[in-house]
Amino acid sequence: MKDADWERLLKQSLVSAAEPEEKLNESIIHQLKERSQMKHKYRKRLSAGLLAAVLLLVLSVSAYAAVQLFSAKQVVEHLGDQLLADAFDSKDAIQINQSKASGDYRFTLHGLVSGAGLSEFPHSREAIYPDRTYAVVSIARLDGKPMPNISDPEYGKEPFFVSPLIKGLKPWQFNIASMHGAYSEDVIDGVMYRILECDQVEIFADRGVYLAISSTTFYSIEAFRYDEITGEIQVREDYPGAAVLFDLPLDAAKADLVKAEAYIEAHPSSSQGSNERFADAEEPEWVKWMAGLRAQIRNGEAIGETIPESVKEVSYDDSGNIIYTFDDGRSLTESPEHLFEEGQIGFSDRRLPISGGDGIYQAMLFHRDENGVITGRIVVLDEGYPGE
C-alpha cells in the first residue's frame, strides 16, 4: 500500500467520532502485546509526517483501549464476586463511564447497581437492611504514571474518599461511613479500581444523589461546599487537592418517600425525620471532638502522650512537599503551606490525621521551630472519640 493510501486511511480513522467496541479494544491490546514481543525482520521506511500520524493513531487507540479495558463487570470479576459481576451486566445496572479530572488524577465512574442479594460477600448490615448500592470507580494519574500497586510501600499514601452524598442531607452525617459502607480495590495495569457499597440510595432518587471523590480521608469542608438552603453540594474551586462530584443518573420513579424518611429517622444524627428539623441539627460529635483537639493545640495544650521514636525531622520531595514516615507504615506527604501559616512557629492544627479505634486513637502532629525545621510525631490521644 502506498504512503498516500496510508495517510488517507489514517485521516479517516482520526476524524471518526465512533467509539471502539470492547472486543475491538481487547483485540488491539492483544495485537499490540504480541507485536511488542516479536522481533520484526522487516521495517518499512515511513515519511516523518506519516510516522507521526501512525504514532498518533496507535497511541490514541491504545490509550483509549487501556482506559476502557476494564468495565464494571470485569473489575468485579477480577476481584472474585461473580454474582455481583452478573448484576453489573444486567438490565438493572446503570452504565455511566463518565470521567472527570482534578488535581493530578482522572476519576471515572464506571457504573452502579442496586438491589438485594447481589453479592457473594454480603455485608453484615444486609440482615437488617437488605438493599444495597454498589458502584465501580477508577483512579488514574494524569501524567501517565502508574498508581502504586497494593504491594508497593507507596500504596495508600495518597488517600481517597469515595462516597455517595444525598442532596438536602448534611454530607458529614450521611456518607459511606454512616451508611454502613465498605469497599475493596486493586491496581490493574497502573489504574486503581475501587468497588464500593453502602445502604441503597435509590430511595433518595427524587432528591438527587452525588458520588463524591476527593484526595482526603473523609468528607472535607475544604474540598466541598454544602448549601444549607438548597441542599446542593459543590466542589470548592480553591481546593488545592483533587475533588470531583458526579450526579448519579437514578430513576426518580424508584424513589421511596416512606423508606427515605424512615431511614433518616433511624440515622444516629437525627432524632426526628423532618428535613427542617434535620437542617437545624447540632454538629455531629466527631466534628466537636476534632474542633476541641485543634483548640487545645492552638492554646499550647497537650492532647496526649508522644511516642518518642516517632519524632523525626521531615524530608522533602522535588516539589517542596514534606514527607513524614513512621516505622509502622503511616506516612504523609503535604505542602508546608497547607500545614503552617506564613512565619508560624509551633504545632500545626490545620491537618490532624487520626487513626485508631476501640477507644484508642493516635494523631499525627507537625511542629516548626524558629529555624524553619519541621518535625513530625505520633501522639496517643488522652481522650478517644466520644461517639463510640
Side-chain angles (χ1 to χ4, degrees):
M1 184 178 289
K2 296 181 180 179
D3 286 356
D5 295 325
W6 272 103
E7 291 175 339
R8 176 176 54 80
L9 290 174
L10 287 168
K11 288 179 181 178
Q12 291 176 351
S13 299
L14 291 171
V15 300
S16 175
E19 296 182 347
E21 296 181 355
E22 185 175 347
K23 290 184 179 179
L24 174 59
N25 289 334
E26 294 176 352
S27 174
I28 292 171
I29 291 176
H30 179 67
Q31 292 178 39
L32 289 174
K33 287 181 178 178
E34 285 187 340
R35 290 176 184 174
S36 67
Q37 297 169 357
M38 294 173 59
K39 294 182 179 179
H40 297 284
K41 295 182 179 179
Y42 305 101
R43 289 187 179 177
K44 292 188 70 174
R45 197 168 177 180
L46 303 177
S47 66
L50 180 58
L51 178 59
V54 170
L55 289 174
L56 178 59
L57 177 62
V58 172
L59 290 174
S60 299
V61 173
S62 62
Y64 180 87
V67 171
Q68 298 294 323
L69 179 59
F70 291 96
S71 65
K73 176 188 176 183
Q74 290 170 326
V75 173
V76 178
E77 284 179 328
H78 175 82
L79 290 175
D81 193 338
Q82 187 57 53
L83 186 61
L84 183 58
D86 293 339
F88 271 104
D89 198 36
S90 70
K91 61 179 179 61
D92 295 323
I94 304 174
Q95 306 299 330
I96 300 174
N97 297 316
Q98 181 183 359
S99 297
K100 293 187 178 184
S102 179
D104 297 328
Y105 302 95
R106 179 174 296 280
F107 304 99
T108 301
L109 173 56
H110 294 265
L112 67 151
V113 65
S114 297
L118 300 184
S119 174
E120 294 181 20
F121 310 106
H123 192 279
S124 59
R125 171 68 171 174
E126 293 187 38
I128 303 172
Y129 191 82
D131 289 329
R132 307 282 286 171
T133 290
Y134 302 84
V136 175
V137 302
S138 64
I139 304 171
R141 291 187 58 89
L142 288 174
D143 59 11
K145 294 181 180 178
M147 299 290 287
N149 287 319
I150 291 180
S151 59
D152 193 312
E154 295 296 310
Y155 172 76
K157 288 187 176 181
E158 180 76 29
F160 292 101
F161 171 73
V162 185
S163 173
L165 303 176
I166 302 164
K167 294 181 182 180
L169 301 182
K170 290 183 177 180
W172 53 87
Q173 294 177 336
F174 285 81
N175 53 63
I176 190 169
S178 64
M179 297 174 71
H180 308 96
Y183 72 86
S184 56
E185 66 182 21
D186 198 0
V187 177
I188 312 170
D189 294 340
V191 177
M192 178 185 288
Y193 292 90
R194 179 178 293 192
I195 305 171
L196 63 145
E197 62 171 295
C198 65
D199 293 336
Q200 200 239 94
V201 299
E202 283 188 331
I203 58 175
F204 298 105
D206 57 338
R207 293 170 174 260
V209 182
Y210 305 96
L211 184 80
I213 308 178
S214 60
S215 53
T216 59
T217 56
F218 193 66
Y219 176 82
S220 172
I221 59 174
E222 296 177 351
F224 302 103
R225 177 188 296 107
Y226 174 67
D227 190 318
E228 294 275 3
I229 299 175
T230 66
E232 294 183 350
I233 303 170
Q234 296 178 331
V235 174
R236 292 187 183 272
E237 296 181 358
D238 58 349
Y239 179 61
V244 297
L245 284 171
F246 295 94
D247 277 298
L248 299 186
L250 303 177
D251 184 357
K254 294 185 177 181
D256 191 317
L257 179 61
V258 174
K259 286 185 177 180
E261 290 298 325
Y263 188 85
I264 295 172
E265 175 121 13
H267 195 274
S269 66
S270 180
S271 59
Q272 297 188 28
S274 69
N275 294 336
E276 293 78 15
R277 182 66 179 177
F278 181 78
D280 296 330
E282 293 185 0
E283 299 295 342
E285 287 299 319
W286 73 266
V287 174
K288 297 179 181 178
W289 180 54
M290 291 290 292
L293 292 173
R294 289 193 168 96
Q296 286 180 263
I297 295 171
R298 287 194 299 270
N299 294 333
E301 302 173 21
I303 60 173
E305 183 177 351
T306 297
I307 300 176
E309 59 270 25
S310 72
V311 182
K312 297 180 181 180
E313 184 176 337
V314 303
S315 58
Y316 292 83
D317 63 16
D318 294 338
S319 300
N321 298 316
I322 67 166
I323 303 173
Y324 172 79
T325 303
F326 188 41
D327 295 339
D328 65 358
R330 276 177 287 181
S331 64
L332 181 75
T333 301
E334 185 63 272
S335 169
E337 288 75 18
H338 296 165
L339 292 171
F340 301 95
E341 297 179 6
E342 185 176 355
Q344 178 185 347
I345 296 174
F347 286 101
S348 168
D349 68 303
R350 288 187 168 185
R351 283 292 305 274
L352 194 62
I354 293 177
S355 59
D358 297 328
I360 301 175
Y361 288 84
Q362 298 179 355
M364 189 181 295
L365 273 178
F366 293 91
H367 181 275
R368 184 164 65 183
D369 66 17
E370 60 275 5
N371 297 315
V373 177
I374 301 176
T375 54
R377 68 197 63 203
I378 303 297
V379 177
V380 181
L381 300 179
D382 289 334
E383 296 183 4
Y385 170 53
E388 282 193 326

